[in-house]
Amino acid sequence: MSQQGYVAAPPYSQSQTGIGGFSSGFGPPNSSLHYGHYVDPNSSCSAPQPGVPKSTVPFGSSASVGPPRPGTQQFSQTSSQNGPSTSGQQPHRFQGPPPPCNSRLSYPPYSHRSQPAYPNTTSTSSTTQLANQLDSMQINSYGPGTTPSLLTSSGHPASFQGPQLSPPPAQQQVALPPGLQVPPPANNFNGLCAQPSLPPIARQDGIPGPVSPNPNLQQLSAQPSGPGYHPQQSNYGPQMAGSQLSYPGAFYGGPAQLLGPQPKKLDPDSIPSPIQVIENDKSSRGGQMYATNTRGQVPPLVTTDCIIHDQGHASPRYIRCTTYCFPSSSDMAKQARIPLAAVIQPFAVIPPNETPLYVVSHGETGPIRCNRCKAYMCPFMQFIEGGRRYQCGFCNCVNDVPPFFFQHLDHIGQRVDHCERPELSLGSYEYVATLDYCRNNKPPKPPAYIFMIDVSYRNIKSGLVKLICDELKTLLDKLPREEQEESSAIQVGFVTYNKVLHFFNVKSSLAQPQMMVVSDVGEVFVPLLDGFLVNFQESRSVVINLLDQIPEMFADANESETIFAPVIQAGMEALKAAECAGKLFIFHSSLPTAEAPGKLRNRDNKKLLNTDKEKTLFQPQVNSYEPLARDCVANGCCVNLFLFPNQYVDIASMGLVTLYTGGTLYKYNNFQLDADSPRFLSDLRKDIEKKTGFDAIMRVRTSTGFRATDFFGAIYMNNTTDVEMAAVDCDKAVTVEFKHDDKLNEDSGALIQCAVLYTSVSGQRRLRIHNIGLNCSSQLADVYKSCETDALINFFAKSAFKAILSQPLKMVREMLVNHTAHMLACYRKNCASPSAVSQLVLPDAMKVLPVYMNCLSKSCVLVGRPEIPTDERAYHRQLVISMGVADTQLFFYPQLLPVHSLDLKSDAIPAAVRCSEERLSEGGAFLLANGLIMFLWLGVNVPPELIQGLFNVPSFAHISAEATSLPDLDNPYSKKFKSVLKHIQSQKPYTMKLMIVKQREQPEMLFRQFLVEDKSIYGGASYVDFLCFVHKEICQLLT
């Protein structure tokens, strides 16, 4: 395997066009805050672990990587360090006093610049070096670029010595210009951060020397100037309003005025491309059979379509890990700081060409379990003594085999019925549970769905209530059922509400539905038991009658105030009285301001942004929702919330019960019947038909040496081990973090078993088991080689989004950058071939980690800006917390497809391009999708035949940007584009809203926020600048 990656060319160190220079004082308070759990608060840094550099500077301190471009506003000198570096302790992740964060940012006005035609993405070879590409810089214009020369590296790297090292895996090298060295960190003067110095640029191999400084520019104060260092200049244009913060508190590469000369920027094709990684995996593993018969093998990426064959380990559709090789000791884990986690999606959808889960029944005996650790029978159990006993793979306890389960062993010690029993040969399967696994030792009843409709004035007038009632008439025929059943066993009930609650009796023997009003919302009770929850097929005529009457019944209602918590309470009490689990479908539109428990006020305060109190905006404003959520989970009541807000509704409070009960939150801002009803109805249909487990409890067991310590998802936890979910559907994933409590054995590996006890749609109690085995190694290179970036990002996103409830956002962003630098620095020090300090060396499996981490750190949840509604941030936070790996991958790095490249004669979807404005072209049309929203961007010179084919209008000027759907036309363009939309949509849980964006028109502002490789209009850095900054951090950690 080649040991050398390719080397990206200069000017690697320079900020991207329009990005300010890096300010010092970057980073967390100097207590060296750590992100992972692998940090011992009592450990001393005076004796560093083998292979870990002893740093005398805080992780966040900055060292300049290169000169800022002239014409870019430098950050002001107001940022300060939080005291001296404390090297004596390393606190746990996200702890420590929040730093002050009161400064404001200013941003340049949006200005459009036309782009060159979209270039082809260059293929990156692991043996190619792109070097000597530093272009001549001329004042006020781009100089004539030097042609990049391609150098092929030869020879072998020097060998390594020491216990932690093994032959280095494939790696990627991105280099700064030859002769460019990273200087030592800037000095601190009286606790103030000095501006970073500029490194020398030597004239070497035809590379131009430094540009002469303008004699009219003055040197900044408190700036060190030494041999080979050019002074930083301050007269780069008008001073920005407000003091500028250093990234990541307010994003390095923050806003700057676009004035003065701009140097040629680094060629983005010379840095790792997520699209290239995705396409390479598709070409090498797409369409093939992936057998799960090997412990610790890394599966294809989530973006690669393949057929998965379960042969002893759970399919990656059910479980994906951040690394498939765990470090053998906690010291190694602390050194690498790679999170050890699994993203578990227990009810993931399996495509038709893969085998569904087998159901195993042992009758009244129930599932076979280890006597000591209670793990369920699985392929990791070793049968001994002729098959009469078995040794547990998790705790090594030796158990007797029950007589009915006995079978002889063959010549290799395997049971002769091994292949006939799913629990011995497959990674995933189900058990039929016995009464011991049921509430009160009684068999459960089939679940129920209760539809609760807000009939306040606005919902009636908008036509929403009639829309819901009309849809339910057909939707109730599609309630989920077991495959062998003719009709669904799920019962249904109906409630309407505004300031009071209306229950409906729809018993099949009635000629007309009956309404009962509960006006005491302080002490909610269910006014009827018999006739409230019914089988739809038996009570069809009464239910249809009711759905016809509801819009007319409240047509003259003028009540605008609503309640909310009592609605959930009522639904839960109804399920409790019926002794069944179920889901509430609540359709609500406004802040619940009526006098009742759970009453909310508008607390949306932009003044809290970028302060220590910003975290309160993500916390519930009243205490009543958390105990309500706890009661719902205890009674198996899942809450699905469909919101139709016109203004602030406090999603952080209203969505809490939905989050804790495993429900789903949907939001339709400024709902318009014509434009938004298709999306809403599609979401409602998908939700009702989803594969779901009710009244679920999940336990994750591990082999000796490590254990599950932290859980993230739409879950509730009463203790440290039981993950409770009132319901869990096919789109919900729980991310589990693991921690060492002893040394792991390389021979036996690290084994994980996830068991979910749940009630099926037919009312049967079942256990769903997923098993996976991972490798263990004392070589760090093995750990890095087995990492999966998409799962890492899922973990980092969920842990960061959980942390913002208790930590300032500035600190959380700092943690993300800090953690990225630490993981990559450890690789560079312990696993990489020797190379110049100017080279950024990335492990092959993690080479696109920086671009994803940058996308996460500048996501709207972690960026407090007045332009971003608080509800939008709380909504995205709640969605991501329960997402699986495929969904977070698309959410943080959207798919950008060149629609103008559609091949009308084939079924193939055009290859995606990188998410950057540089990839757009005036003559092109591009579709962008992130799982929640889709944009169709149209260049001003898009071909008329494409416009005619998609919109049925003659020219660009005739296209309406107000449209949210495309007409159904009988032509190849329209049919092909509709099939692409359908394909993208079919794989995602939410129906994406389509927005038409015309080049150089105002809505393009919104579209540009999703071009995640570019600098964000809200201050987030470009991919190039983030990479530069991470490289600077790595260099500091290594020196």
Side-chain angles (χ1 to χ4, degrees):
M1 184 183 291
S2 165
Q3 308 298 339
Q4 290 291 341
Y6 64 74
V7 179
Y12 182 72
S13 61
Q14 291 171 351
S15 302
Q16 191 176 347
T17 307
I19 306 286
F22 297 123
S23 156
S24 61
F26 170 97
N30 296 344
S31 53
S32 299
L33 284 156
H34 287 257
Y35 193 94
H37 275 302
Y38 292 114
V39 182
D40 180 2
N42 302 315
S43 68
S44 170
C45 292
S46 58
Q49 298 152 1
V52 173
K54 182 178 178 183
S55 174
T56 57
V57 294
F59 292 166
S61 301
S62 72
S64 176
V65 180
R69 66 169 178 78
T72 306
Q73 175 62 50
Q74 292 301 300
F75 289 139
S76 66
Q77 299 279 8
T78 54
S79 55
S80 61
Q81 299 275 56
N82 293 326
S85 171
T86 56
S87 58
Q89 63 178 31
Q90 298 173 321
H92 280 285
R93 175 170 76 222
F94 298 131
Q95 291 180 1
C101 183
N102 302 318
S103 306
R104 303 291 293 248
L105 295 169
S106 64
Y107 292 87
Y110 168 75
S111 62
H112 181 88
R113 57 184 197 279
S114 62
Q115 295 298 321
Y118 143 69
N120 291 327
T121 308
T122 50
S123 174
T124 56
S125 159
S126 63
T127 58
T128 307
Q129 294 192 344
L130 297 171
N132 300 345
Q133 200 187 340
L134 187 63
D135 288 17
S136 308
M137 289 183 287
Q138 296 181 351
I139 302 299
N140 296 327
S141 68
Y142 291 134
T146 55
T147 307
S149 57
L150 298 178
L151 304 176
T152 305
S153 60
S154 60
H156 298 282
S159 61
F160 282 81
Q161 296 173 1
Q164 288 291 70
L165 303 179
S166 67
Q171 63 195 40
Q172 180 116 358
Q173 296 187 356
V174 182
L176 292 162
L180 181 62
Q181 299 296 320
V182 178
N187 295 325
N188 273 0
F189 295 104
N190 303 323
L192 292 176
C193 302
Q195 287 284 353
S197 311
L198 296 182
I201 302 179
R203 179 181 287 277
Q204 178 180 331
D205 299 328
I207 295 175
V211 178
S212 301
N214 186 332
N216 297 324
L217 302 179
Q218 299 174 352
Q219 185 176 340
L220 289 171
S221 58
Q223 171 131 343
S225 179
Y229 286 71
H230 295 291
Q232 288 241 39
Q233 310 298 343
S234 63
N235 275 351
Y236 286 136
Q239 183 72 25
M240 283 186 287
S243 61
Q244 298 303 310
L245 301 175
S246 59
Y247 187 86
F251 299 104
Y252 58 87
Q257 306 298 336
L258 304 178
L259 298 171
Q262 300 176 3
K264 183 82 171 172
K265 63 187 173 188
L266 173 69
D267 175 15
D269 286 329
S270 66
I271 58 177
S273 159
I275 299 302
Q276 196 66 53
V277 170
I278 289 168
E279 292 303 321
N280 288 350
D281 197 70
K282 282 181 180 175
S283 62
S284 63
R285 307 180 82 171
Q288 300 178 13
M289 175 78 75
Y290 172 74
T292 67
N293 56 359
T294 309
R295 189 185 79 195
Q297 64 179 339
V298 182
L301 297 180
V302 284
T303 44
T304 300
D305 279 330
C306 61
I307 300 163
I308 295 164
H309 189 199
D310 185 343
Q311 291 189 351
H313 297 271
S315 159
R317 301 191 198 283
Y318 295 123
I319 302 182
R320 280 187 177 267
C321 299
T322 53
T323 177
Y324 290 83
C325 178
F326 276 15
S328 56
S329 69
S330 62
D331 284 346
M332 268 183 77
K334 288 173 186 172
Q335 190 176 339
R337 292 187 65 195
I338 295 171
L340 307 179
V343 186
I344 304 172
Q345 203 164 333
F347 285 82
V349 173
I350 295 300
N353 57 359
E354 291 178 19
T355 311
L357 295 194
Y358 289 97
V359 180
V360 179
S361 176
H362 290 322
E364 293 183 8
T365 313
I368 299 171
R369 306 177 69 176
C370 171
N371 291 329
R372 182 193 292 166
C373 70
K374 302 301 180 189
Y376 294 88
M377 179 57 66
C378 69
F380 305 145
M381 304 300 188
Q382 183 67 44
F383 288 87
I384 55 176
E385 297 181 20
R388 289 187 296 276
R389 309 181 83 189
Y390 69 92
Q391 184 173 23
C392 175
F394 295 92
C395 69
N396 299 320
C397 175
V398 175
N399 299 267
D400 291 328
V401 173
F404 79 90
F405 196 68
F406 172 78
Q407 187 56 268
H408 294 285
L409 307 185
D410 62 15
H411 64 288
I412 56 169
Q414 205 171 55
R415 285 174 55 126
V416 295
D417 66 347
H418 170 264
C419 294
E420 298 160 24
R421 288 193 175 272
E423 69 270 38
L424 299 181
S425 58
L426 299 179
S428 300
Y429 44 88
E430 288 197 328
Y431 279 119
V432 175
T434 57
L435 290 179
D436 295 339
Y437 294 87
C438 302
R439 283 181 191 269
N440 307 320
N441 288 359
K442 291 190 336 193
K445 294 180 182 176
Y449 284 0
I450 302 177
F451 299 92
M452 316 185 85
I453 305 170
D454 169 2
V455 289
S456 58
Y457 175 80
R458 192 161 66 80
N459 284 4
I460 294 290
K461 290 297 177 246
S462 70
L464 178 62
V465 172
K466 186 175 191 317
L467 179 73
I468 294 167
C469 292
D470 288 346
E471 180 63 23
L472 287 178
K473 292 176 199 171
T474 56
L475 206 48
L476 293 174
D477 277 321
K478 299 175 184 174
L479 292 173
R481 57 186 170 84
E482 297 288 358
E483 286 179 15
Q484 65 274 15
E485 292 180 345
E486 288 185 11
S487 63
S488 174
I490 291 176
Q491 294 191 299
V492 294
F494 303 89
V495 174
T496 58
Y497 66 94
N498 39 45
K499 280 174 79 169
V500 296
L501 291 151
H502 320 104
F503 288 77
F504 294 94
N505 184 345
V506 284
K507 198 172 180 180
S508 56
S509 57
L510 295 175
Q512 287 280 340
Q514 297 173 346
M515 182 171 85
M516 299 185 181
V517 180
V518 175
S519 54
D520 183 3
V521 292
E523 295 287 336
V524 173
F525 65 97
V526 182
L528 75 159
L529 292 180
D530 187 32
F532 177 63
L533 293 177
V534 297
N535 180 294
F536 174 64
Q537 301 303 336
E538 294 172 5
S539 296
R540 175 186 290 272
S541 59
V542 191
V543 170
I544 298 293
N545 198 337
L546 170 67
L547 294 172
D548 283 333
Q549 288 183 31
I550 285 175
E552 299 167 9
M553 201 183 303
F554 299 99
D556 299 326
N558 55 6
E559 184 56 70
S560 57
E561 282 196 322
T562 56
I563 54 175
F564 183 66
V567 180
I568 298 174
Q569 182 83 32
M572 183 198 70
E573 296 290 352
L575 293 175
K576 187 177 176 181
E579 296 183 338
C580 70
K583 278 188 184 182
L584 310 183
F585 291 81
I586 302 180
F587 306 92
H588 191 90
S589 68
S590 58
L591 199 67
T593 53
E595 279 304 326
K599 174 185 176 181
L600 300 175
R601 58 181 174 79
N602 188 336
R603 53 151 180 179
D604 192 16
N605 185 357
K606 301 295 184 190
K607 291 179 182 176
L608 298 182
L609 299 182
N610 298 313
T611 71
D612 290 352
K613 292 185 177 178
E614 184 174 6
K615 59 179 177 276
T616 61
L617 296 174
F618 297 101
Q619 301 164 355
Q621 65 166 285
V622 293
N623 296 327
S624 52
Y625 285 100
E626 193 154 340
L628 179 58
R630 186 177 61 239
D631 291 346
C632 283
V633 173
N635 290 287
C637 171
C638 170
V639 178
N640 277 357
L641 180 56
F642 294 80
L643 278 174
F644 306 87
N646 275 5
Q647 53 195 10
Y648 178 76
V649 290
D650 197 354
I651 282 173
S653 299
M654 292 186 71
L656 191 75
V657 180
T658 297
L659 182 65
Y660 281 166
T661 59
T664 309
L665 176 61
Y666 300 90
K667 184 161 75 76
Y668 311 91
N669 293 339
N670 303 307
F671 182 82
Q672 300 292 323
L673 204 62
D674 296 339
D676 299 313
S677 56
R679 183 164 61 102
F680 158 57
L681 295 179
S682 170
D683 282 337
L684 180 58
R685 287 169 198 146
K686 276 203 273 190
D687 200 299
I688 282 183
E689 295 172 22
K690 269 181 190 176
K691 170 79 175 168
T692 305
F694 298 88
D695 196 12
I697 185 163
M698 182 171 101
R699 175 73 70 89
V700 177
R701 293 179 173 85
T702 58
S703 53
T704 53
F706 74 113
R707 60 193 166 86
T709 57
D710 217 346
F711 300 85
F712 310 92
I715 57 174
Y716 187 80
M717 297 197 70
N718 253 331
N719 53 44
T720 56
T721 55
D722 294 329
V723 180
E724 296 182 61
M725 298 167 282
V728 53
D729 64 44
C730 56
D731 298 313
K732 298 291 184 295
V734 179
T735 301
V736 185
E737 187 178 13
F738 302 101
K739 185 176 178 180
H740 287 77
D741 45 24
D742 203 351
K743 197 170 173 63
L744 297 177
N745 185 320
E746 292 190 40
D747 294 330
S748 55
L751 309 179
I752 299 168
Q753 183 180 81
C754 165
V756 183
L757 175 65
Y758 73 98
T759 302
S760 70
V761 288
S762 60
Q764 188 179 44
R765 202 72 174 148
R766 287 188 189 170
L767 279 153
R768 180 168 284 219
I769 313 292
H770 298 298
N771 306 285
I772 190 168
L774 310 176
N775 288 336
C776 297
S777 177
S778 58
Q779 307 294 326
L780 279 171
D782 293 335
V783 179
Y784 279 94
K785 194 164 54 181
S786 303
C787 283
E788 187 184 311
T789 296
D790 295 329
L792 280 167
I793 289 303
N794 182 282
F795 169 82
F796 279 123
K798 291 185 179 185
S799 51
F801 286 8
K802 182 178 181 179
I804 62 172
L805 295 177
S806 55
Q807 299 289 338
L809 272 74
K810 177 177 185 285
M811 192 182 291
V812 175
R813 291 195 299 261
E814 285 168 351
M815 297 298 174
L816 292 172
V817 185
N818 184 4
H819 209 119
T820 307
H822 260 272
M823 290 189 291
L824 299 178
C826 177
Y827 175 82
R828 171 70 180 264
K829 182 173 179 65
N830 297 291
C831 310
S833 356
S835 56
V837 71
S838 60
Q839 286 183 326
L840 171 61
V841 183
L842 302 169
D844 199 55
M846 277 189 183
K847 63 186 176 189
V848 291
L849 180 70
V851 67
Y852 282 108
M853 288 295 260
N854 187 37
C855 296
L856 168 58
S857 62
K858 65 182 182 180
S859 65
C860 76
V861 179
L862 297 181
V863 181
R865 292 287 299 162
E867 300 90 338
I868 308 174
T870 305
D871 270 346
E872 201 65 24
R873 298 172 70 197
Y875 174 60
H876 283 186
R877 176 185 172 272
Q878 181 155 335
L879 261 48
V880 169
I881 288 284
S882 65
M883 278 184 182
V885 177
D887 293 336
T888 49
Q889 188 277 331
L890 186 67
F891 182 78
F892 289 111
Y893 194 95
Q895 194 173 23
L896 185 61
L897 301 176
V899 175
H900 54 273
S901 303
L902 285 174
D903 183 352
L904 302 179
K905 295 176 183 175
S906 98
D907 292 335
I909 288 177
V913 298
R914 294 172 71 163
C915 254
S916 170
E917 192 176 3
E918 292 188 345
R919 309 290 158 166
L920 306 178
S921 57
E922 293 190 351
F926 292 81
L927 179 71
L928 183 145
N930 79 336
L932 293 184
I933 192 167
M934 283 195 282
F935 294 93
L936 178 58
W937 181 91
L938 302 162
V940 288
N941 296 327
V942 65
E945 59 269 23
L946 183 64
I947 293 174
Q948 185 70 45
L950 293 181
F951 295 92
N952 203 25
V953 295
S955 71
F956 181 83
H958 289 81
I959 298 171
S960 167
E962 303 298 315
T964 55
S965 62
L966 298 178
D968 289 315
L969 304 173
D970 188 14
N971 68 66
Y973 275 117
S974 182
K975 287 178 180 176
K976 177 66 180 176
F977 185 68
K978 286 291 177 84
S979 75
V980 170
L981 289 181
K982 186 176 179 182
H983 174 76
I984 294 172
Q985 187 59 74
S986 67
Q987 301 171 317
K988 295 297 148 197
Y990 296 90
T991 307
M992 292 179 253
K993 180 179 183 176
L994 178 66
M995 291 186 68
I996 311 297
V997 175
K998 296 167 74 176
Q999 187 180 7
R1000 298 177 192 164
E1001 292 193 5
Q1002 186 61 28
E1004 200 182 15
M1005 280 273 288
L1006 180 61
F1007 168 74
R1008 279 165 58 104
Q1009 292 176 40
F1010 296 88
L1011 299 176
V1012 290
E1013 288 199 23
D1014 299 339
K1015 176 172 172 279
S1016 165
I1017 60 171
Y1018 294 134
S1022 69
Y1023 173 25
V1024 171
D1025 277 347
F1026 186 82
L1027 205 54
C1028 291
F1029 202 88
V1030 167
H1031 178 52
K1032 181 176 63 172
E1033 291 289 293
I1034 292 168
C1035 290
Q1036 283 195 315
L1037 291 170
L1038 295 176
T1039 54

